[in-house]
């Protein structure tokens, strides 16, 4: 176990898991596996981790998509704070 893992901080493996999950969700959506119905897109952008981060969340409910985008950016900001110590 790495020192970061022993301290309870996210590791590189954790970051790769997050990326893999996002990629899998994107593929499922692209293949039409996300389900039928109207889609609503929400875009959010922030400067995080030293780069411009832009999210586009698409879902059945615009409010839920907006909440998901904000929660994702908030979590990224938390990770940035932890990893920048």
């Amino acid at each position: 176990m790495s020192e970061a893992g022993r301290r309870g901080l996210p590791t590189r493996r954790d970051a790769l898991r997050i990326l893999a999950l996002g990629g899998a969700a994107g593929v499922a959506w692209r293949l039409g596996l996300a389900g039928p119905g109207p889609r609503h897109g929400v875009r959010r952008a922030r400067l995080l981790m030293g780069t411009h981060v832009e999210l586009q969340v698409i879902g059945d409910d615009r409010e839920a998509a907006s909440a998901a985008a904000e929660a994702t950016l908030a979590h990224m900001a938390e990770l940035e704070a932890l990893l920048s110590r």
Side-chain angles (χ1 to χ4, degrees):
M1 179 178 277
S2 72
E3 185 177 330
R6 284 191 294 271
R7 290 186 294 174
L9 297 175
T11 63
R12 285 187 188 130
R13 183 171 289 182
D14 294 332
L16 290 174
R17 285 182 183 143
I18 292 167
L19 290 172
L21 181 60
V27 168
W29 175 80
R30 182 75 175 149
L31 294 174
L33 302 176
R39 298 284 181 233
H40 302 282
V42 175
R43 288 182 185 251
R44 298 288 184 271
R46 301 279 191 290
L47 182 61
L48 291 167
M49 301 182 185
T51 192
H52 176 79
V53 175
E54 184 174 337
L55 296 176
Q56 180 177 10
V57 178
I58 300 172
D60 298 332
D61 180 339
R62 187 179 311 275
E63 288 182 28
S66 180
E70 292 298 330
T72 300
L73 290 168
H75 189 66
M76 290 180 74
E78 290 173 15
L79 288 174
E80 178 180 34
L82 281 172
L83 297 172
S84 297
R85 290 184 179 180

